[in-house]
Amino acid sequence: MFNRLDNIVEKYYELKEKLTTPEVLNNYNLLKDLSKEHSDLEETVIKYEEYKKVLNDIDDAKIMLEDPELKEMAELELENLENRKEELYKLLEILLVPKDENDGKNVIMEIRGAAGGDEANIFAGDLFRMYSYYAEKQGWKIEVINEVEGTSGGFSQIEFIIKGNNVYSKMKYESGSHRVQRVPATETQGRVHTSTATVLVMPEVETVNIDIKESDIKMDVYHSSGAGGQSVNTSNSAVRLTHVPTGVVVTCQTERSQLKNRDRAMQLLKVKINDEITRKQESEVGATRKSKIGTGDRSEKIRTYNYPQNRVTDHRINFSLMELDRVMDGNVDPIVEALINEDMRLKLAGETFE
């Protein structure tokens, strides 16, 4: 651990010196990249230097113990220093955990009604509202790319972008199958039904290093539709793109212009193809994804929302909260924080998440 920290300190000061050279100052892109790299190391360097100072102060306090007049004060100082040493050690362990390069990015999300017919679509709409409220609390912005309304409310499918600071760092834990247990509005006997909706979270990527040939894309245009497929305008502005080699299909109908819908659909297509390629690569190298809570397959059951008991349970970490009403109003942070803490614990222990 300390060898790694020494190397980080050395790298930090090397970068600091490079940032003052003319060749870097005159190259905007290089300056931007090196400045970010330098900034990313700064907190670790500051805490490590504080840790080393605390070690020196502990040595000085132990010397003071030999002086009868200073012994009582030295004992108190030594206790405080030992506590601070332990705090800094744990913090340094966390800072050395490799960061997810996507944490600072915006996300593209997809929610689909799954098992349960109309009730599943209604639940998909409830999840979208929950994430909308959560985004508002975080100061993020939501832009809908595509939506297909359910015949009885909610959405059979909705795709949207969430923009803001470090969105992926929190939203990446939401991918998977969400299950709801409640009495549907259409249920006359008062029986509790179980329905599901699936959530997919993908980091927005500015540049995707994949070659998408126009000849590999099939484009269909059609009238934008509302609930039950009812046409909401008279022009063929909605766009569906199919990437033939991978079979990835995306649609966009939120813009009035066919050109704007195609641009948004192309953006979504690139992200989905990139996500598919990444998933296949990680699958080939073993259990990489199992070590990251929240990046599992969309079919994986991750959470249950039990309305009769006002309880929400995240099955990955066996975490329950008897505040479902507050969660659905956007108070998702207690669940997200519990997932982040468990993810960090597993990474520090070198364990994998099953």
Side-chain angles (χ1 to χ4, degrees), residues 236-279:
N236 289 329
S237 60
V239 171
R240 179 188 300 110
L241 298 181
T242 303
H243 186 244
V244 177
T246 60
V248 174
V249 180
V250 299
T251 57
C252 183
Q253 60 176 350
T254 55
E255 304 289 344
R256 291 186 177 273
S257 160
Q258 183 185 123
L259 182 61
K260 288 183 178 179
N261 277 328
R262 189 188 190 283
D263 288 343
R264 275 187 172 270
M266 182 59 75
Q267 177 189 17
L268 180 58
L269 183 68
K270 289 181 178 180
V271 171
K272 282 198 169 184
I273 292 174
N274 183 71
D275 185 70
E276 186 68 22
I277 291 173
T278 302
R279 285 172 180 271

Side-chain angles (χ1 to χ4, degrees), residues 3 19 95 156 200-201 251 259 277 304:
N3 285 337
L19 287 168
L95 289 171
S156 63
L200 178 63
V201 181
T251 57
L259 182 61
I277 291 173
T304 295

Side-chain angles (χ1 to χ4, degrees), residues 60-78:
D60 293 340
K62 287 179 178 178
I63 293 174
M64 290 169 59
L65 286 173
E66 299 174 5
D67 188 328
E69 295 183 0
L70 300 176
K71 183 177 181 181
E72 185 175 347
M73 182 178 69
E75 286 176 343
L76 180 61
E77 178 70 9
L78 193 58

Side-chain angles (χ1 to χ4, degrees), residues 116-133:
D118 288 343
E119 172 64 7
N121 294 340
I122 292 170
F123 179 51
D126 293 339
L127 289 176
F128 175 66
R129 282 189 290 276
M130 178 186 78
Y131 292 130
S132 297
Y133 293 146

Side-chain angles (χ1 to χ4, degrees), residues 54-315:
V54 167
L55 292 182
N56 289 331
D57 291 344
I58 288 174
D59 290 338
D60 293 340
K62 287 179 178 178
I63 293 174
M64 290 169 59
L65 286 173
E66 299 174 5
D67 188 328
E69 295 183 0
L70 300 176
K71 183 177 181 181
E72 185 175 347
M73 182 178 69
E75 286 176 343
L76 180 61
E77 178 70 9
L78 193 58
E79 182 181 355
N80 292 332
L81 287 168
E82 289 289 354
N83 289 336
R84 183 56 180 161
K85 173 188 170 185
E86 184 66 23
E87 289 174 1
L88 287 168
Y89 186 89
K90 290 179 180 178
L91 179 58
L92 287 169
E93 279 188 319
I94 293 171
L95 289 171
L96 286 177
V97 173
K99 294 180 176 60
D100 189 331
E101 61 181 17
N102 291 319
D103 276 352
K105 295 180 179 178
N106 301 327
V107 302
I108 292 180
M109 291 185 66
E110 174 189 282
I111 304 175
R112 291 175 179 262
D118 288 343
E119 172 64 7
N121 294 340
I122 292 170
F123 179 51
D126 293 339
L127 289 176
F128 175 66
R129 282 189 290 276
M130 178 186 78
Y131 292 130
S132 297
Y133 293 146
Y134 182 56
E136 184 178 352
K137 291 175 186 292
Q138 300 293 317
W140 301 336
K141 300 295 182 185
I142 285 184
E143 294 179 11
V144 175
I145 301 173
N146 179 57
E147 60 182 62
V148 181
E149 295 180 5
T151 54
S152 299
F155 303 97
S156 63
Q157 177 180 346
I158 183 167
E159 290 155 318
F160 52 97
I161 302 174
I162 304 182
K163 296 183 176 182
N165 294 325
N166 300 312
V167 182
Y168 187 74
S169 67
K170 292 190 173 183
M171 297 306 297
K172 63 184 177 182
Y173 301 102
E174 297 305 301
S175 283
S177 178
H178 295 240
R179 182 175 68 172
V180 63
Q181 294 175 326
R182 64 185 176 189
V183 180
T186 55
E187 169 58 49
T188 58
Q189 303 298 319
R191 292 172 297 187
V192 173
H193 287 224
T194 298
S195 305
T196 60
T198 60
V199 175
L200 178 63
V201 181
M202 300 166 288
E204 184 183 33
V205 283
E206 296 177 4
T207 304
V208 180
N209 295 319
I210 53 176
D211 182 21
I212 301 180
K213 299 176 182 177
E214 284 293 330
S215 58
D216 288 338
I217 298 175
K218 177 187 175 185
M219 185 174 87
D220 298 306
V221 295
Y222 54 97
H223 293 338
S224 298
S225 59
Q230 181 180 1
S231 178
V232 295
N233 65 34
T234 56
S235 63
N236 289 329
S237 60
V239 171
R240 179 188 300 110
L241 298 181
T242 303
H243 186 244
V244 177
T246 60
V248 174
V249 180
V250 299
T251 57
C252 183
Q253 60 176 350
T254 55
E255 304 289 344
R256 291 186 177 273
S257 160
Q258 183 185 123
L259 182 61
K260 288 183 178 179
N261 277 328
R262 189 188 190 283
D263 288 343
R264 275 187 172 270
M266 182 59 75
Q267 177 189 17
L268 180 58
L269 183 68
K270 289 181 178 180
V271 171
K272 282 198 169 184
I273 292 174
N274 183 71
D275 185 70
E276 186 68 22
I277 291 173
T278 302
R279 285 172 180 271
K280 286 181 179 178
Q281 288 174 342
E282 292 182 346
S283 177
E284 289 172 359
V285 296
T288 307
R289 283 189 172 270
K290 289 185 179 179
S291 66
K292 303 175 189 175
I293 298 174
T295 52
D297 187 82
R298 179 162 44 185
S299 63
E300 175 194 0
K301 183 183 74 175
I302 64 167
R303 197 173 297 154
T304 295
Y305 303 74
N306 186 301
Y307 277 73
Q309 298 179 17
N310 197 36
R311 183 185 71 232
V312 57
T313 300
D314 196 288
H315 304 290

